[in-house]
Amino acid sequence: MLDCAPMPTPMSHSSRLSSTDNVQLNEEESSTYRRLIGRLIYLTNTQPDIAFSVNNLSQFLSSPTKHHQQVVFRILRYLKGNPGSGIFLHKNSNNQLRGYNDSDWATYSGTRKSVTGFAIFLGESLISWKSKKQPTISRSSSESEYRALAATTCEIQRLTYILKDLGIPYIELAILFCDNQSAIHIASN
């Protein structure tokens, strides 16, 4: 992979993964795939931009296909093109928490479960993020977005307690951004 061309994104937006995508990998290739996914999971501690893609690929550890392997290689090509991207903690930022959340309704074709994703900043510094399959099936995109909103709110509350325990004062209330109007109305009700 040293001579490969870099990619601008870790995963194609139109890429939908399933266990019946393509030709199954042989045992040696499957073992290599599992090791790569393990290393990428570890790398998500400092590279939150690959969290969603690695989460998707880790669903197929038991029976990876050639298509899954190609997506892993795309992530590696993305990492090659972005060696300096990661977490940057600003020295002179304010102490306001800002959360951004989103949900992808019924992402997984087999289970119809949605994915929650959020990123929380302290000032200009990213301090918490998550991309996780929701535990229950949502009946609408509004319900899925509301569950993501609730998960992000819980994380902001947890971070508020941690900041208080560390003696870090926060001057302004936390701000939570959501892009679904019906979920906002449900939450305000």
Side-chain angles (χ1 to χ4, degrees):
M1 299 295 298
L2 292 175
D3 295 331
C4 67
M7 294 298 286
T9 59
M11 190 172 172
S12 172
H13 178 68
S14 61
S15 181
R16 295 284 184 206
L17 302 174
S18 74
S19 56
T20 60
D21 275 342
N22 207 324
V23 179
Q24 298 287 323
L25 296 177
N26 63 38
E27 190 56 41
E28 183 180 330
E29 291 172 327
S30 294
S31 178
T32 302
Y33 176 85
R34 289 184 192 99
R35 280 195 307 276
L36 275 173
I37 293 295
R39 290 174 179 154
L40 289 173
I41 288 172
Y42 180 75
L43 192 57
T44 60
N45 289 321
T46 58
Q47 294 273 151
D49 48 346
I50 63 170
F52 179 77
S53 304
V54 174
N55 178 5
N56 275 343
L57 289 168
S58 66
Q59 307 289 319
F60 306 101
L61 290 176
S62 61
S63 58
T65 65
K66 293 281 186 186
H67 179 65
H68 301 141
Q69 186 180 44
Q70 290 170 351
V71 176
V72 168
F73 291 155
R74 181 183 173 110
I75 293 173
L76 294 175
R77 291 173 61 193
Y78 168 76
L79 291 171
K80 180 182 179 187
N82 298 292
S85 67
I87 299 174
F88 181 73
L89 300 176
H90 296 271
K91 180 171 82 171
N92 298 325
S93 67
N94 63 5
N95 289 341
Q96 182 181 30
L97 288 172
R98 287 179 299 126
Y100 299 88
N101 76 312
D102 201 5
S103 174
D104 194 359
W105 181 47
T107 300
Y108 295 98
S109 59
T111 61
R112 306 301 297 164
K113 290 188 178 181
S114 304
V115 173
T116 293
F118 64 76
I120 300 173
F121 291 80
L122 178 63
E124 299 299 317
S125 304
L126 180 64
I127 60 169
S128 180
W129 61 91
K130 183 183 247 180
S131 174
K132 183 178 180 181
K133 192 187 308 182
Q134 293 180 355
T136 58
I137 298 171
S138 300
R139 294 181 182 166
S140 67
S141 62
S142 298
E143 182 181 350
S144 175
E145 291 279 352
Y146 182 71
R147 289 179 194 276
L149 196 61
T152 310
T153 303
C154 290
E155 181 66 10
I156 288 175
Q157 187 66 47
R158 185 183 76 83
L159 291 170
T160 303
Y161 291 145
I162 290 173
L163 290 174
K164 184 178 177 184
D165 289 345
L166 293 173
I168 298 172
Y170 58 93
I171 299 165
E172 299 179 44
L173 294 176
I175 299 173
L176 179 56
F177 295 96
C178 178
D179 63 350
N180 187 290
Q181 288 299 316
S182 59
I184 293 170
H185 291 302
I186 292 169
S188 66
N189 190 14

Short mmCIF file of all heavy atoms in Angstrom, two decimals, residues 128-186:
data_model
loop_
_atom_site.label_atom_id
_atom_site.label_comp_id
_atom_site.label_asym_id
_atom_site.label_seq_id
_atom_site.Cartn_x
_atom_site.Cartn_y
_atom_site.Cartn_z
N SER A 128 -15.30 14.03 22.21
CA SER A 128 -16.07 12.79 22.28
C SER A 128 -16.79 12.57 20.95
O SER A 128 -17.30 13.53 20.35
CB SER A 128 -17.08 12.88 23.43
OG SER A 128 -17.83 11.69 23.51
N TRP A 129 -16.86 11.32 20.51
CA TRP A 129 -17.56 10.99 19.28
C TRP A 129 -18.01 9.54 19.34
O TRP A 129 -17.48 8.73 20.10
CB TRP A 129 -16.67 11.22 18.06
CG TRP A 129 -15.43 10.38 18.08
CD1 TRP A 129 -15.27 9.13 17.54
CD2 TRP A 129 -14.19 10.70 18.68
NE1 TRP A 129 -14.00 8.67 17.76
CE2 TRP A 129 -13.32 9.62 18.47
CE3 TRP A 129 -13.72 11.81 19.39
CZ2 TRP A 129 -12.01 9.61 18.94
CZ3 TRP A 129 -12.42 11.80 19.85
CH2 TRP A 129 -11.59 10.70 19.61
N LYS A 130 -19.01 9.23 18.54
CA LYS A 130 -19.52 7.86 18.52
C LYS A 130 -20.26 7.61 17.21
O LYS A 130 -20.93 8.49 16.68
CB LYS A 130 -20.47 7.63 19.69
CG LYS A 130 -21.00 6.22 19.80
CD LYS A 130 -21.99 6.11 20.94
CE LYS A 130 -21.40 5.24 22.00
NZ LYS A 130 -22.29 5.07 23.15
N SER A 131 -20.14 6.41 16.73
CA SER A 131 -20.93 5.92 15.61
C SER A 131 -21.34 4.51 15.99
O SER A 131 -20.49 3.63 16.10
CB SER A 131 -20.09 5.93 14.34
OG SER A 131 -20.81 5.32 13.28
N LYS A 132 -22.64 4.31 16.23
CA LYS A 132 -23.09 3.03 16.76
C LYS A 132 -24.47 2.67 16.22
O LYS A 132 -25.32 3.53 16.04
CB LYS A 132 -23.15 3.10 18.29
CG LYS A 132 -23.53 1.81 18.95
CD LYS A 132 -23.52 1.95 20.45
CE LYS A 132 -23.91 0.62 21.08
NZ LYS A 132 -23.93 0.71 22.53
N LYS A 133 -24.65 1.38 16.00
CA LYS A 133 -25.94 0.88 15.58
C LYS A 133 -26.92 1.01 16.75
O LYS A 133 -26.60 0.67 17.89
CB LYS A 133 -25.83 -0.59 15.18
CG LYS A 133 -27.05 -1.14 14.46
CD LYS A 133 -27.00 -2.63 14.21
CE LYS A 133 -25.77 -3.12 13.54
NZ LYS A 133 -25.80 -4.57 13.28
N GLN A 134 -28.13 1.51 16.48
CA GLN A 134 -29.13 1.66 17.54
C GLN A 134 -29.63 0.28 17.97
O GLN A 134 -29.77 -0.62 17.14
CB GLN A 134 -30.29 2.52 17.07
CG GLN A 134 -29.90 3.96 16.85
CD GLN A 134 -31.05 4.83 16.38
OE1 GLN A 134 -32.16 4.37 16.12
NE2 GLN A 134 -30.78 6.12 16.26
N PRO A 135 -29.93 0.11 19.27
CA PRO A 135 -30.33 -1.22 19.76
C PRO A 135 -31.72 -1.67 19.31
O PRO A 135 -32.00 -2.86 19.29
CB PRO A 135 -30.27 -1.07 21.28
CG PRO A 135 -30.39 0.38 21.54
CD PRO A 135 -29.80 1.08 20.34
N THR A 136 -32.58 -0.73 18.96
CA THR A 136 -33.94 -1.10 18.54
C THR A 136 -34.21 -0.57 17.14
O THR A 136 -33.54 0.34 16.66
CB THR A 136 -35.00 -0.53 19.50
OG1 THR A 136 -34.85 0.89 19.54
CG2 THR A 136 -34.85 -1.10 20.88
N ILE A 137 -35.22 -1.12 16.50
CA ILE A 137 -35.61 -0.70 15.16
C ILE A 137 -36.56 0.49 15.27
O ILE A 137 -37.54 0.44 16.00
CB ILE A 137 -36.28 -1.86 14.39
CG1 ILE A 137 -35.29 -3.01 14.24
CG2 ILE A 137 -36.78 -1.38 13.04
CD1 ILE A 137 -35.91 -4.28 13.69
N SER A 138 -36.25 1.57 14.57
CA SER A 138 -37.09 2.76 14.57
C SER A 138 -38.11 2.67 13.45
O SER A 138 -37.82 2.19 12.36
CB SER A 138 -36.24 4.02 14.39
OG SER A 138 -35.31 4.14 15.42
N ARG A 139 -39.31 3.14 13.74
CA ARG A 139 -40.38 3.08 12.74
C ARG A 139 -40.35 4.24 11.75
O ARG A 139 -41.00 4.18 10.71
CB ARG A 139 -41.73 3.07 13.45
CG ARG A 139 -41.95 1.82 14.25
CD ARG A 139 -43.29 1.84 14.91
NE ARG A 139 -43.46 0.64 15.71
CZ ARG A 139 -44.39 0.49 16.60
NH1 ARG A 139 -45.26 1.46 16.82
NH2 ARG A 139 -44.49 -0.62 17.29
N SER A 140 -39.63 5.30 12.10
CA SER A 140 -39.55 6.45 11.20
C SER A 140 -38.19 7.12 11.36
O SER A 140 -37.48 6.88 12.33
CB SER A 140 -40.66 7.46 11.52
OG SER A 140 -40.43 8.03 12.80
N SER A 141 -37.88 8.00 10.43
CA SER A 141 -36.63 8.74 10.52
C SER A 141 -36.67 9.69 11.71
O SER A 141 -35.64 9.94 12.35
CB SER A 141 -36.36 9.49 9.23
OG SER A 141 -37.36 10.45 8.99
N SER A 142 -37.85 10.21 12.04
CA SER A 142 -37.97 11.09 13.20
C SER A 142 -37.63 10.36 14.49
O SER A 142 -36.94 10.89 15.36
CB SER A 142 -39.39 11.65 13.30
OG SER A 142 -39.69 12.42 12.18
N GLU A 143 -38.13 9.14 14.63
CA GLU A 143 -37.83 8.35 15.82
C GLU A 143 -36.34 8.04 15.90
O GLU A 143 -35.72 8.12 16.96
CB GLU A 143 -38.64 7.05 15.80
CG GLU A 143 -38.43 6.19 17.02
CD GLU A 143 -39.22 4.89 16.97
OE1 GLU A 143 -40.08 4.72 16.08
OE2 GLU A 143 -38.97 4.03 17.84
N SER A 144 -35.75 7.70 14.77
CA SER A 144 -34.32 7.41 14.72
C SER A 144 -33.50 8.66 15.10
O SER A 144 -32.55 8.57 15.88
CB SER A 144 -33.95 6.94 13.32
OG SER A 144 -32.58 6.76 13.19
N GLU A 145 -33.88 9.81 14.58
CA GLU A 145 -33.19 11.07 14.89
C GLU A 145 -33.37 11.42 16.37
O GLU A 145 -32.46 11.92 17.01
CB GLU A 145 -33.71 12.20 14.01
CG GLU A 145 -33.35 12.08 12.56
CD GLU A 145 -31.95 12.56 12.23
OE1 GLU A 145 -31.27 13.13 13.11
OE2 GLU A 145 -31.51 12.33 11.09
N TYR A 146 -34.56 11.17 16.91
CA TYR A 146 -34.82 11.47 18.32
C TYR A 146 -33.97 10.59 19.23
O TYR A 146 -33.44 11.05 20.24
CB TYR A 146 -36.31 11.29 18.63
CG TYR A 146 -36.66 11.62 20.06
CD1 TYR A 146 -36.64 12.94 20.51
CD2 TYR A 146 -36.99 10.62 20.96
CE1 TYR A 146 -36.94 13.24 21.82
CE2 TYR A 146 -37.29 10.92 22.28
CZ TYR A 146 -37.27 12.24 22.70
OH TYR A 146 -37.56 12.54 24.00
N ARG A 147 -33.80 9.32 18.86
CA ARG A 147 -32.92 8.44 19.64
C ARG A 147 -31.47 8.93 19.60
O ARG A 147 -30.76 8.88 20.60
CB ARG A 147 -33.00 7.02 19.11
CG ARG A 147 -34.30 6.31 19.39
CD ARG A 147 -34.29 4.89 18.80
NE ARG A 147 -35.61 4.32 18.78
CZ ARG A 147 -36.16 3.71 19.82
NH1 ARG A 147 -35.51 3.63 20.95
NH2 ARG A 147 -37.37 3.21 19.72
N ALA A 148 -31.04 9.41 18.44
CA ALA A 148 -29.69 9.96 18.33
C ALA A 148 -29.56 11.22 19.17
O ALA A 148 -28.54 11.44 19.84
CB ALA A 148 -29.37 10.26 16.86
N LEU A 149 -30.60 12.04 19.18
CA LEU A 149 -30.61 13.25 19.99
C LEU A 149 -30.52 12.91 21.47
O LEU A 149 -29.76 13.54 22.22
CB LEU A 149 -31.89 14.03 19.69
CG LEU A 149 -32.01 15.47 20.10
CD1 LEU A 149 -30.96 16.31 19.41
CD2 LEU A 149 -33.39 15.99 19.77
N ALA A 150 -31.25 11.89 21.90
CA ALA A 150 -31.21 11.47 23.31
C ALA A 150 -29.84 10.93 23.70
O ALA A 150 -29.32 11.23 24.78
CB ALA A 150 -32.29 10.41 23.55
N ALA A 151 -29.22 10.14 22.81
CA ALA A 151 -27.88 9.60 23.10
C ALA A 151 -26.85 10.71 23.21
O ALA A 151 -25.98 10.68 24.10
CB ALA A 151 -27.48 8.61 22.01
N THR A 152 -26.95 11.71 22.35
CA THR A 152 -26.01 12.83 22.39
C THR A 152 -26.23 13.66 23.66
O THR A 152 -25.27 14.11 24.29
CB THR A 152 -26.17 13.72 21.14
OG1 THR A 152 -26.14 12.89 19.98
CG2 THR A 152 -25.07 14.75 21.05
N THR A 153 -27.48 13.85 24.05
CA THR A 153 -27.79 14.57 25.29
C THR A 153 -27.19 13.87 26.50
O THR A 153 -26.61 14.52 27.38
CB THR A 153 -29.31 14.72 25.45
OG1 THR A 153 -29.84 15.39 24.30
CG2 THR A 153 -29.66 15.51 26.70
N CYS A 154 -27.31 12.55 26.55
CA CYS A 154 -26.72 11.78 27.66
C CYS A 154 -25.20 11.96 27.70
O CYS A 154 -24.61 12.11 28.78
CB CYS A 154 -27.07 10.31 27.53
SG CYS A 154 -28.79 9.95 27.85
N GLU A 155 -24.56 11.96 26.54
CA GLU A 155 -23.11 12.13 26.49
C GLU A 155 -22.70 13.54 26.92
O GLU A 155 -21.72 13.71 27.65
CB GLU A 155 -22.58 11.83 25.08
CG GLU A 155 -21.09 11.96 24.93
CD GLU A 155 -20.29 10.93 25.72
OE1 GLU A 155 -20.87 9.98 26.26
OE2 GLU A 155 -19.06 11.09 25.77
N ILE A 156 -23.46 14.54 26.52
CA ILE A 156 -23.17 15.91 26.95
C ILE A 156 -23.32 16.03 28.46
O ILE A 156 -22.49 16.66 29.14
CB ILE A 156 -24.07 16.93 26.21
CG1 ILE A 156 -23.63 17.06 24.75
CG2 ILE A 156 -24.05 18.29 26.90
CD1 ILE A 156 -24.52 17.93 23.90
N GLN A 157 -24.34 15.40 29.02
CA GLN A 157 -24.54 15.42 30.47
C GLN A 157 -23.36 14.76 31.18
O GLN A 157 -22.85 15.26 32.18
CB GLN A 157 -25.85 14.72 30.83
CG GLN A 157 -26.22 14.83 32.28
CD GLN A 157 -26.54 16.26 32.68
OE1 GLN A 157 -27.29 16.94 31.99
NE2 GLN A 157 -25.98 16.73 33.77
N ARG A 158 -22.92 13.63 30.67
CA ARG A 158 -21.77 12.92 31.26
C ARG A 158 -20.52 13.79 31.21
O ARG A 158 -19.77 13.89 32.20
CB ARG A 158 -21.54 11.61 30.49
CG ARG A 158 -20.45 10.73 31.08
CD ARG A 158 -20.24 9.49 30.23
NE ARG A 158 -19.51 9.77 29.01
CZ ARG A 158 -18.17 9.85 28.94
NH1 ARG A 158 -17.43 9.68 30.00
NH2 ARG A 158 -17.58 10.10 27.79
N LEU A 159 -20.28 14.45 30.08
CA LEU A 159 -19.11 15.30 29.95
C LEU A 159 -19.20 16.52 30.86
O LEU A 159 -18.19 16.99 31.40
CB LEU A 159 -18.94 15.74 28.50
CG LEU A 159 -18.54 14.63 27.53
CD1 LEU A 159 -18.62 15.11 26.09
CD2 LEU A 159 -17.16 14.10 27.85
N THR A 160 -20.41 17.03 31.06
CA THR A 160 -20.61 18.15 31.99
C THR A 160 -20.19 17.75 33.40
O THR A 160 -19.51 18.51 34.10
CB THR A 160 -22.08 18.60 31.97
OG1 THR A 160 -22.43 18.96 30.64
CG2 THR A 160 -22.30 19.79 32.89
N TYR A 161 -20.58 16.55 33.84
CA TYR A 161 -20.19 16.06 35.16
C TYR A 161 -18.67 15.87 35.26
O TYR A 161 -18.07 16.18 36.29
CB TYR A 161 -20.89 14.74 35.48
CG TYR A 161 -22.38 14.88 35.71
CD1 TYR A 161 -23.25 13.87 35.30
CD2 TYR A 161 -22.93 15.99 36.33
CE1 TYR A 161 -24.61 13.97 35.50
CE2 TYR A 161 -24.29 16.10 36.53
CZ TYR A 161 -25.13 15.09 36.12
OH TYR A 161 -26.47 15.20 36.33
N ILE A 162 -18.07 15.36 34.20
CA ILE A 162 -16.61 15.17 34.21
C ILE A 162 -15.89 16.51 34.31
O ILE A 162 -14.95 16.67 35.09
CB ILE A 162 -16.15 14.39 32.95
CG1 ILE A 162 -16.62 12.94 33.04
CG2 ILE A 162 -14.63 14.46 32.79
CD1 ILE A 162 -16.36 12.14 31.78
N LEU A 163 -16.34 17.51 33.53
CA LEU A 163 -15.73 18.83 33.59
C LEU A 163 -15.88 19.44 34.99
O LEU A 163 -14.94 20.05 35.52
CB LEU A 163 -16.35 19.76 32.54
CG LEU A 163 -16.02 19.46 31.10
CD1 LEU A 163 -16.82 20.37 30.17
CD2 LEU A 163 -14.54 19.59 30.83
N LYS A 164 -17.04 19.25 35.59
CA LYS A 164 -17.27 19.76 36.95
C LYS A 164 -16.34 19.07 37.94
O LYS A 164 -15.74 19.73 38.81
CB LYS A 164 -18.73 19.54 37.34
CG LYS A 164 -19.09 20.11 38.68
CD LYS A 164 -20.56 19.88 38.97
CE LYS A 164 -20.91 20.39 40.37
NZ LYS A 164 -22.31 20.10 40.71
N ASP A 165 -16.19 17.75 37.84
CA ASP A 165 -15.30 17.00 38.73
C ASP A 165 -13.84 17.42 38.57
O ASP A 165 -13.07 17.39 39.53
CB ASP A 165 -15.43 15.50 38.50
CG ASP A 165 -16.75 14.93 39.00
OD1 ASP A 165 -17.45 15.64 39.77
OD2 ASP A 165 -17.09 13.80 38.61
N LEU A 166 -13.44 17.78 37.35
CA LEU A 166 -12.08 18.21 37.09
C LEU A 166 -11.83 19.67 37.47
O LEU A 166 -10.69 20.15 37.40
CB LEU A 166 -11.72 18.01 35.61
CG LEU A 166 -11.64 16.56 35.13
CD1 LEU A 166 -11.45 16.50 33.63
CD2 LEU A 166 -10.51 15.82 35.83
N GLY A 167 -12.90 20.37 37.86
CA GLY A 167 -12.77 21.76 38.24
C GLY A 167 -12.64 22.70 37.07
O GLY A 167 -12.15 23.82 37.21
N ILE A 168 -13.08 22.27 35.90
CA ILE A 168 -13.04 23.12 34.71
C ILE A 168 -14.38 23.85 34.60
O ILE A 168 -15.42 23.21 34.40
CB ILE A 168 -12.78 22.28 33.44
CG1 ILE A 168 -11.43 21.59 33.55
CG2 ILE A 168 -12.84 23.16 32.20
CD1 ILE A 168 -11.15 20.61 32.45
N PRO A 169 -14.35 25.17 34.77
CA PRO A 169 -15.63 25.90 34.73
C PRO A 169 -16.13 26.04 33.29
O PRO A 169 -15.35 26.17 32.36
CB PRO A 169 -15.26 27.27 35.30
CG PRO A 169 -13.82 27.44 34.94
CD PRO A 169 -13.22 26.06 34.98
N TYR A 170 -17.42 25.96 33.15
CA TYR A 170 -18.01 26.27 31.85
C TYR A 170 -18.95 27.44 32.05
O TYR A 170 -19.73 27.49 33.00
CB TYR A 170 -18.69 25.06 31.21
CG TYR A 170 -19.78 24.43 32.02
CD1 TYR A 170 -21.09 24.81 31.84
CD2 TYR A 170 -19.50 23.45 32.95
CE1 TYR A 170 -22.11 24.24 32.59
CE2 TYR A 170 -20.50 22.87 33.70
CZ TYR A 170 -21.81 23.28 33.51
OH TYR A 170 -22.80 22.71 34.25
N ILE A 171 -18.85 28.40 31.17
CA ILE A 171 -19.57 29.65 31.32
C ILE A 171 -20.93 29.58 30.65
O ILE A 171 -21.92 30.03 31.19
CB ILE A 171 -18.73 30.81 30.74
CG1 ILE A 171 -17.41 30.90 31.51
CG2 ILE A 171 -19.48 32.12 30.78
CD1 ILE A 171 -16.35 31.73 30.86
N GLU A 172 -20.97 28.98 29.49
CA GLU A 172 -22.21 28.94 28.72
C GLU A 172 -22.80 27.54 28.73
O GLU A 172 -22.08 26.55 28.89
CB GLU A 172 -21.93 29.37 27.28
CG GLU A 172 -21.39 30.77 27.16
CD GLU A 172 -21.09 31.14 25.73
OE1 GLU A 172 -21.94 30.84 24.86
OE2 GLU A 172 -20.02 31.69 25.47
N LEU A 173 -24.11 27.46 28.54
CA LEU A 173 -24.76 26.16 28.44
C LEU A 173 -24.33 25.46 27.16
O LEU A 173 -23.93 26.09 26.19
CB LEU A 173 -26.28 26.34 28.44
CG LEU A 173 -26.89 26.89 29.73
CD1 LEU A 173 -28.38 27.11 29.54
CD2 LEU A 173 -26.63 25.95 30.89
N ALA A 174 -24.45 24.15 27.17
CA ALA A 174 -24.09 23.35 25.99
C ALA A 174 -25.10 23.60 24.88
O ALA A 174 -26.29 23.85 25.13
CB ALA A 174 -24.05 21.88 26.35
N ILE A 175 -24.62 23.51 23.66
CA ILE A 175 -25.48 23.66 22.48
C ILE A 175 -25.50 22.32 21.76
O ILE A 175 -24.46 21.70 21.55
CB ILE A 175 -24.93 24.75 21.54
CG1 ILE A 175 -24.90 26.10 22.24
CG2 ILE A 175 -25.78 24.83 20.27
CD1 ILE A 175 -24.23 27.19 21.42
N LEU A 176 -26.68 21.90 21.35
CA LEU A 176 -26.84 20.64 20.63
C LEU A 176 -27.49 20.92 19.28
O LEU A 176 -28.57 21.50 19.22
CB LEU A 176 -27.68 19.66 21.44
CG LEU A 176 -27.96 18.30 20.83
CD1 LEU A 176 -26.67 17.59 20.47
CD2 LEU A 176 -28.76 17.45 21.81
N PHE A 177 -26.82 20.52 18.21
CA PHE A 177 -27.32 20.75 16.86
C PHE A 177 -27.95 19.47 16.31
O PHE A 177 -27.36 18.39 16.42
CB PHE A 177 -26.19 21.20 15.94
CG PHE A 177 -25.61 22.53 16.32
CD1 PHE A 177 -24.46 22.60 17.11
CD2 PHE A 177 -26.20 23.70 15.90
CE1 PHE A 177 -23.91 23.82 17.47
CE2 PHE A 177 -25.66 24.93 16.26
CZ PHE A 177 -24.52 24.98 17.05
N CYS A 178 -29.11 19.61 15.72
CA CYS A 178 -29.83 18.48 15.11
C CYS A 178 -30.42 18.96 13.80
O CYS A 178 -30.89 20.11 13.70
CB CYS A 178 -30.93 18.00 16.06
SG CYS A 178 -31.93 16.65 15.41
N ASP A 179 -30.44 18.11 12.78
CA ASP A 179 -30.93 18.53 11.46
C ASP A 179 -32.34 18.05 11.14
O ASP A 179 -32.80 18.19 10.03
CB ASP A 179 -29.96 18.07 10.37
CG ASP A 179 -29.86 16.56 10.29
OD1 ASP A 179 -30.39 15.87 11.17
OD2 ASP A 179 -29.24 16.07 9.32
N ASN A 180 -33.05 17.49 12.11
CA ASN A 180 -34.38 16.95 11.85
C ASN A 180 -35.41 17.76 12.65
O ASN A 180 -35.42 17.71 13.88
CB ASN A 180 -34.42 15.48 12.25
CG ASN A 180 -35.72 14.81 11.86
OD1 ASN A 180 -36.74 15.09 12.44
ND2 ASN A 180 -35.65 13.92 10.88
N GLN A 181 -36.27 18.49 11.94
CA GLN A 181 -37.24 19.36 12.59
C GLN A 181 -38.24 18.60 13.47
O GLN A 181 -38.58 19.05 14.56
CB GLN A 181 -37.99 20.19 11.54
CG GLN A 181 -37.15 21.26 10.90
CD GLN A 181 -36.65 22.27 11.91
OE1 GLN A 181 -37.37 22.73 12.78
NE2 GLN A 181 -35.36 22.59 11.83
N SER A 182 -38.70 17.46 13.02
CA SER A 182 -39.67 16.72 13.83
C SER A 182 -39.05 16.21 15.12
O SER A 182 -39.69 16.21 16.17
CB SER A 182 -40.30 15.57 13.02
OG SER A 182 -39.31 14.68 12.59
N ALA A 183 -37.79 15.78 15.08
CA ALA A 183 -37.12 15.35 16.31
C ALA A 183 -36.93 16.52 17.26
O ALA A 183 -37.07 16.36 18.49
CB ALA A 183 -35.76 14.72 15.97
N ILE A 184 -36.65 17.70 16.74
CA ILE A 184 -36.52 18.90 17.57
C ILE A 184 -37.85 19.22 18.24
O ILE A 184 -37.91 19.53 19.43
CB ILE A 184 -35.99 20.10 16.73
CG1 ILE A 184 -34.56 19.82 16.29
CG2 ILE A 184 -36.10 21.40 17.52
CD1 ILE A 184 -34.02 20.81 15.28
N HIS A 185 -38.95 19.11 17.49
CA HIS A 185 -40.27 19.39 18.05
C HIS A 185 -40.65 18.35 19.12
O HIS A 185 -41.23 18.70 20.15
CB HIS A 185 -41.33 19.43 16.95
CG HIS A 185 -41.19 20.61 16.05
ND1 HIS A 185 -41.22 21.92 16.50
CD2 HIS A 185 -41.02 20.70 14.71
CE1 HIS A 185 -41.06 22.75 15.49
NE2 HIS A 185 -40.95 22.04 14.38
N ILE A 186 -40.32 17.09 18.88
CA ILE A 186 -40.59 16.05 19.88
C ILE A 186 -39.79 16.34 21.16
O ILE A 186 -40.32 16.25 22.26
CB ILE A 186 -40.24 14.65 19.33
CG1 ILE A 186 -41.20 14.26 18.20
CG2 ILE A 186 -40.31 13.60 20.44
CD1 ILE A 186 -40.76 13.02 17.43
#
